[in-house]
Amino acid sequence: MLFESLLSHPAQKIALQDQTQTVLYGDLNAEVEKREASLSDVSVLGIALDNSVDWVLWDLAALKAGIPVVPVPPFFVEGQVNHLIQTSAVSHMATPAGLQPTGINDPTRLFEGTAKVTYTSGTTGEPKGVCLPRKAMEAVAQSILDVLGQGFVESHLCVLPLAVLLENVAGVYAGLLAGCTIQLTPLTSFGTLYSDLHDQLTRHRTNSVILVPEILRGLMKQVAQKGPLPNLKFVAVGGSKVDPALLQQAQALGLPVYEGYGLSECASVVSLNTPNQSKPGTVGKPLPHVQATVLDGEIHIKNPGFLGYVGEAAPETFATGDLGAIDDDGFLSISGRAKNVLITSYGRNVSPEWVEATLLANPEIAQAVVYGDGQPHLSALLVQTSANADAEAAVARTNAALPDYAQIMDFKLVPPFTVQSGLLTGTGRPRRDAILSLYAKETSSMSFYDRLVAETASARAGLYHVPQLVDGLRGSITRDTYIAYLTEAFHHVSHTVPFLMTMGSKLPPEKKRLHKAIASYISEEIGHEEWILNDIAAAGGDKEAARQSKPNLETQVLIAYNYDYMTRKNPVGFLGMVFMLESTSIEIANHGASAVKEKLGLPEEAFSYLFSHGELDISHMKFYEELVNTITDPDDQAAIIEVAQNTFRLFANLLRAIPHEGNLSNAA
């Protein structure tokens, strides 16, 4: 099915592309056959490559040749990689240096018909290998195409490692069936913690991506700071449970997010929300080929598709271990797991008992309970063996023995768990729910800054749809519109220092610690209104006329609102205005100034305010994030969010009031 479909796509269309290679659909089969010819001595192929065209070509070549493929997850530690090689009898490994023999040759360890062995991240130190036939993976890819529709997207960017079955099958295979261009880039190109994902999506004009929740959170923050991604049409999110509120916040930012659910045993995707069929709070309808039922609250899949685990045959009906329900409309929802396996927000499966056992191997630790389901990292509740024990050193030794996704990033010391306190069973096992309820109530990883970003998403999205801003980002405005924008900017920026001074003067004694931050802001902001006047002159306007002009009513309202709020309600709320201004100026400066300069042919001197603020506010936002995360008073937090929401709306009104003809790219 897969290889036959490749011939039906336009020969000159790009099938695969990375930083060094481009393969057209018309050349794809030939490229696959070149690699297939070099597999004559290979019985089981491991792939230890970064995301690239080569990764996909080796995978397709082995698939076509009927040779089992064993992808090597980049997050596996050496011991897990060795376990993978030994248990699957990998005979050769595709590496950056080419095919490398392993010295192993025993393909009988795998079930007949195995096309791929996918290893989970490992709920213990020795992860299971799931044996999948080609038809199971093709069935998933075809079902995804059926529910999304042919031609729904044109370009898919692989964000997750290709060794993750979800990206391999739902991203690459489904994309090739649909005739998409599959964009591949080294994982390092996305930056630390995917900090450059927005830039990559913009550069590739990506239509679809697959993300796990933690990466989605990071992308949401980037969209808030850098602006919308208009080319994106479909963002599939899975790998871990997703809070419906997170999806709502993402959608308010303009991200077309749809939750799904999958299992390695089912060749990745089991169910999926789509633009045509979506229900919030569910993981979508099961794909057309999936037979799902719920028995005693647990989801079961009939004929799941996998042949079995390495050394263990598959059952006819697979008990997923996930608790859930199927509603009257056929949508599947997941409520939890039947066992204790944790799934981090990066989609890594971890058995807490594995990590706890490693912790308890240290003489300093008497008891340990690990948690972090749905969180970006694991945490632990620790009982020390003595008051002088060095728990920090014990955690460091533990982390050195674990892969990064199973390491403990923070811990809390607690009193011993006992049977008498109800925290241990009669056999000495921890009562997890009781322990976590008592000691780990605050398990959410969302900082106040993240909450601020999320809760202002709707108002920020409204701002990004203002025609003056949309056309400004494209450079499609007149010089008069640009000068009018600068004039209103002059009026409200003239109040920035007075705003900050007002905030400082109104702070109660217990909040005087904020004076240092206010002083830092004032030192940065003094004189910026004069930059704007100089830009007006360089753009051909009258700077003195602008200085003497009366601001628009909408600008006056924005200014008056902030003074009034600080005087009557809460001066800390002004930090909401700071968030609005700095996040917005980053968007305008970084994405609009260059476009306007080029389209209008204006000199560099006409953009000193925007260009300088683009650079300043990027560093300011980091300072700001650290600052507001120190604010713990619920009333202050509520005030900041309220002011931010309102000033996004008021600033949108300010921009709408600027005279604007729209889409005039060459006017001067």
Side-chain angles (χ1 to χ4, degrees), residues 2 6 9 13 15 25 141 144-145 150 153-154 156 167-182 208:
L2 178 59
L6 301 182
H9 304 315
K13 185 173 183 181
Y25 272 100
I144 291 172
L145 179 59
Q150 186 79 38
V153 295
E154 289 292 318
H156 176 82
E167 189 68 81
N168 187 190
V169 174
V172 175
Y173 291 177
L176 291 176
L177 278 178
C180 290
T181 294
I182 308 297
S208 75

Side-chain angles (χ1 to χ4, degrees), residues 462-516:
L463 171 63
Y464 287 148
H465 286 86
V466 173
Q468 285 85 340
L469 180 56
V470 172
D471 286 344
L473 295 176
R474 296 171 179 159
S476 300
I477 60 173
T478 66
R479 184 177 60 184
D480 288 344
T481 295
Y482 178 54
I483 292 174
Y485 159 73
L486 289 176
T487 300
E488 297 309 310
F490 164 76
H491 287 301
H492 73 75
V493 170
S494 296
H495 287 270
T496 301
V497 171
F499 278 151
L500 290 163
M501 295 174 71
T502 301
M503 177 185 172
S505 69
K506 298 294 183 182
L507 286 174
E510 67 271 17
K511 295 173 184 175
K512 296 294 187 183
R513 64 179 183 81
L514 293 174
H515 278 171
K516 184 177 180 180

Side-chain angles (χ1 to χ4, degrees), residues 46-200:
I47 302 180
L49 294 169
D50 201 345
N51 283 12
S52 60
V53 169
D54 275 342
W55 200 108
V56 177
L57 292 177
W58 280 119
D59 180 47
L60 293 175
L63 189 68
K64 192 170 186 179
I67 296 170
V69 168
V70 186
V72 179
F75 44 82
F76 271 19
V77 295
E78 183 179 359
Q80 291 176 313
V81 174
N82 290 335
H83 172 76
L84 171 153
I85 292 171
Q86 294 294 328
T87 54
S88 289
V90 174
S91 67
H92 292 74
M93 191 73 72
T95 72
L99 279 181
Q100 304 291 325
T102 65
I104 299 174
N105 189 8
D106 185 11
T108 60
R109 295 186 194 177
L110 303 179
F111 292 101
E112 184 178 354
T114 297
K116 182 157 291 163
V117 184
T118 183
Y119 281 80
T120 66
S121 50
T123 58
T124 67
E126 295 186 347
K128 282 185 174 182
V130 179
C131 297
L132 295 165
R134 175 174 164 177
K135 66 178 182 180
M137 295 184 287
E138 289 184 331
V140 170
Q142 183 60 54
S143 279
I144 291 172
L145 179 59
D146 290 343
V147 297
L148 288 179
Q150 186 79 38
F152 176 66
V153 295
E154 289 292 318
S155 172
H156 176 82
L157 177 64
C158 294
V159 173
L160 304 180
L162 288 170
V164 173
L165 194 66
L166 182 61
E167 189 68 81
N168 187 190
V169 174
V172 175
Y173 291 177
L176 291 176
L177 278 178
C180 290
T181 294
I182 308 297
Q183 298 284 353
L184 301 137
T185 184
L187 296 174
T188 54
S189 298
F190 295 113
T192 305
L193 299 178
Y194 287 86
S195 59
D196 296 331
L197 178 56
H198 187 285
D199 295 339
Q200 290 288 345

